[in-house]
Amino acid sequence: MNRGFSLAFAGFWFGQALWVMTVSLPVILLNSECDTDPEMKASDWIGLAMWAVGWVLETVADQQKFNFRNNADNKGRWCEEGLWAWSRHPNYFGEILLWWGVFVTASSVLSEWEWVGVLSPAFISVLLLFASGIPPLEDSADKRYGARP
């Protein structure tokens, strides 16, 4: 086995580092603020509320789906219980809301170029809505359930 330099391996690790940096950008910018004890602003509270609601939605939706799938009576059935009766992807809605909440909280200290922190929730939103989140799940559901859901 060759343990020498591999461009593919380096690209994989660089991609992960870029991903983590992009997603955590609002928190990094918030924590790099020189003011050691800034006063909480309305946007901080709104962002925290968004984060909390998003976290609860994602957690509850994931638990409901887990419970649904672990019930033998539901084998081959489409989940339409709890939050899943309201949305096809309530867990992703919670995830997106959570990251926008992080950004809104951090926004109270952002200035000039630091607004680049909006890349974090935008990246998560685009990823879940148009790339690795909903599209593959919809394709899989179409194959498995057809017009039934």
Side-chain angles (χ1 to χ4, degrees):
M1 174 183 234
N2 180 4
R3 296 238 182 227
F5 177 78
S6 166
L7 192 57
F9 186 71
F12 173 77
W13 285 104
F14 178 74
Q16 283 187 330
L18 189 60
W19 180 309
V20 170
M21 179 70 175
T22 302
V23 171
S24 61
L25 200 51
V27 175
I28 292 168
L29 294 168
L30 177 66
N31 289 329
S32 67
E33 183 63 29
C34 293
D35 191 352
T36 57
D37 194 16
E39 190 172 318
M40 295 283 281
K41 298 178 180 164
S43 62
D44 296 321
W45 293 110
I46 291 167
L48 285 172
M50 290 170 65
W51 180 90
V53 170
W55 183 81
V56 168
L57 284 172
E58 183 178 9
T59 302
V60 169
D62 285 344
Q63 187 63 50
Q64 288 174 342
K65 186 76 169 253
F66 177 80
N67 293 342
F68 181 85
R69 286 192 172 184
N70 283 330
N71 182 341
D73 295 338
N74 294 328
K75 185 161 180 67
R77 288 185 52 224
W78 179 261
C79 182
E80 291 182 311
E81 297 177 5
L83 295 172
W84 298 89
W86 292 63
S87 171
R88 286 176 68 110
H89 304 284
N91 54 339
Y92 287 157
F93 175 73
E95 178 81 9
I96 291 168
L97 183 61
L98 180 153
W99 285 106
W100 279 102
V102 169
F103 171 73
V104 169
T105 299
S107 70
S108 65
V109 299
L110 301 181
S111 63
E112 299 173 7
W113 68 269
E114 293 171 335
W115 284 96
V116 72
V118 75
L119 290 175
S120 171
F123 175 70
I124 292 294
S125 298
V126 168
L127 193 66
L128 292 178
L129 293 173
F130 305 109
S132 69
I134 292 174
L137 287 176
E138 289 295 313
D139 289 345
S140 173
D142 288 348
K143 289 176 187 162
R144 185 170 182 186
Y145 301 103
R148 287 190 305 177

